[in-house]
Amino acid sequence: MKAIVVHQYGGPEVLKWEEYPDPVPGSGEVLVRIAAASVNPIDYKRRAGLTKDFYPMTFPGLIGVDMSGTVVKVGPEVENFTVGDRVFAMADNTYAELCVVRADVLADIPEGLDLIEAAALPLVTVTGNQLLSATEIKAGQTVLVVGAAGNVGRSAVFTAKSRGATVIAGVLKRQFDDAKTVGADQLVATDDDTAIANLAPLDAVADAVGGKTAEKLIAKVKPGGVYASVVGGPQNAAEYPSVKVAKVFSKFDRPTLEFMAEAVRDGKLVIPIGLRLPLSQAAEAHAKAEKGGVGKILLVA
């Protein structure tokens, strides 16, 4: 098969479109012909060696975590999938024409959802849902979603609204127009100290951005409230012992992925796709993704 092969850590230029051995499904595994993968920050951080302490690469090796495609072979002891099934998942080594995926982390693509566009959804929608869940928010309570214009943030906003919460979308001033489409009840500029100071006390914060803004926002959480983050807790969290800090690490959950994908199919949640490129142009895709501002990038096999 052809795949994007990495021989050393480095910039986008280390992503090479080369021949690579076909993977073979073992017990409990499924072989999928990739229709598309999507670019996530974890991909280019791993390529650059920024995750080697906890998520190292073996060279030559492959990268990629999001995928959608069609089942071409099932290994022993796989009962829930058959050849021809349309599937998607968070997996490993997805920047390739073929990928082996454990059956227990694979999901059927909901009827009516585009096969290629489905590749944009696994990591960001599941992460956003799990981020919001970590806030322990209840119907009638108020949660601030930081980074609401991003895909993880959009997914968190949708999840909060589906649970009956009041949602404030925290975005940069320049993102206000984009943020009007995320479905929040109100907007606040997180790069405006006056706007943050004027916030009413919050039941929870769901943070997809982190940084100095987090240190200001934790002060707005009510005693007994929760500050959940996918980028680590605020540096000054110790100053607010009455606020629970929840650090979120995305993990596969089939019901959550199916729920979020159905919401996208039904138009209740929008994950904007900014660019589609051939898988062979992954280096260009990474360069664009690292500059930011292009939306979700799909690599079409």
Side-chain angles (χ1 to χ4, degrees), residues 87-110:
V87 294
F88 63 155
M90 286 188 286
D92 288 312
N93 305 332
T94 64
Y95 286 17
E97 292 179 328
L98 295 169
C99 181
V100 163
V101 186
R102 295 199 334 264
D104 61 353
V105 302
L106 199 59
D108 288 307
I109 296 174

Side-chain angles (χ1 to χ4, degrees), residues 154 176-184 270:
R154 286 171 177 266
F176 261 45
D177 285 343
D178 287 340
K180 291 175 182 177
T181 67
V182 304
V270 176

Side-chain angles (χ1 to χ4, degrees), residues 31-45:
L31 181 65
V32 178
R33 182 165 298 282
I34 300 294
S38 77
V39 178
N40 291 291
I42 189 64
D43 299 338
Y44 47 79
K45 290 178 181 178

Side-chain angles (χ1 to χ4, degrees), residues 125-264:
T125 63
V126 171
T127 301
N129 182 286
Q130 292 176 349
L131 170 63
L132 192 283
S133 297
T135 67
E136 303 173 17
I137 203 74
K138 298 178 177 63
Q141 293 185 319
T142 299
V143 58
L144 170 66
V145 177
V146 188
N151 294 319
V152 171
R154 286 171 177 266
S155 300
V157 169
F158 165 75
T159 304
K161 292 302 297 179
S162 72
R163 298 182 184 184
T166 297
V167 183
I168 303 171
V171 297
L172 301 175
K173 292 176 186 176
R174 60 179 172 79
Q175 296 174 316
F176 261 45
D177 285 343
D178 287 340
K180 291 175 182 177
T181 67
V182 304
D185 297 288
Q186 65 185 88
L187 306 178
V188 65
T190 53
D191 50 352
D192 183 335
D193 287 347
T194 300
I196 291 176
N198 290 335
L199 278 172
L202 303 163
D203 295 295
V205 171
D207 188 0
V209 177
K212 290 294 183 182
T213 302
E215 298 178 23
K216 301 170 185 176
L217 291 174
I218 192 172
K220 307 303 294 189
V221 180
K222 298 175 183 177
V226 180
Y227 196 106
S229 175
V230 294
V231 286
Q235 293 294 313
N236 60 340
E239 298 173 22
Y240 301 91
S242 65
V243 176
K244 177 182 176 181
V245 175
K247 299 176 183 179
V248 179
F249 302 93
S250 181
K251 59 183 183 296
F252 175 77
D253 181 0
R254 182 180 288 111
T256 296
L257 177 55
E258 292 171 342
F259 169 71
M260 301 298 281
E262 287 168 2
V264 171

Side-chain angles (χ1 to χ4, degrees), residues 1-8 11-21 34 37-39 43-44 46-47 57-65 92-99 277-286 298-301:
M1 69 173 182
K2 280 293 196 66
I4 294 296
V5 185
V6 183
H7 294 271
Q8 64 187 57
E13 71 280 356
V14 303
L15 301 176
K16 305 297 185 182
W17 181 239
E18 297 177 355
E19 289 290 337
Y20 197 80
I34 300 294
S38 77
V39 178
D43 299 338
Y44 47 79
R46 192 172 183 225
R47 181 216 73 219
M57 292 193 66
T58 300
F59 301 117
L62 310 183
I63 61 172
V65 294
D92 288 312
N93 305 332
T94 64
Y95 286 17
E97 292 179 328
L98 295 169
C99 181
L277 289 171
L279 177 57
S280 59
Q281 296 179 23
E284 179 183 346
H286 273 219
L298 293 182
L299 296 172
V300 182

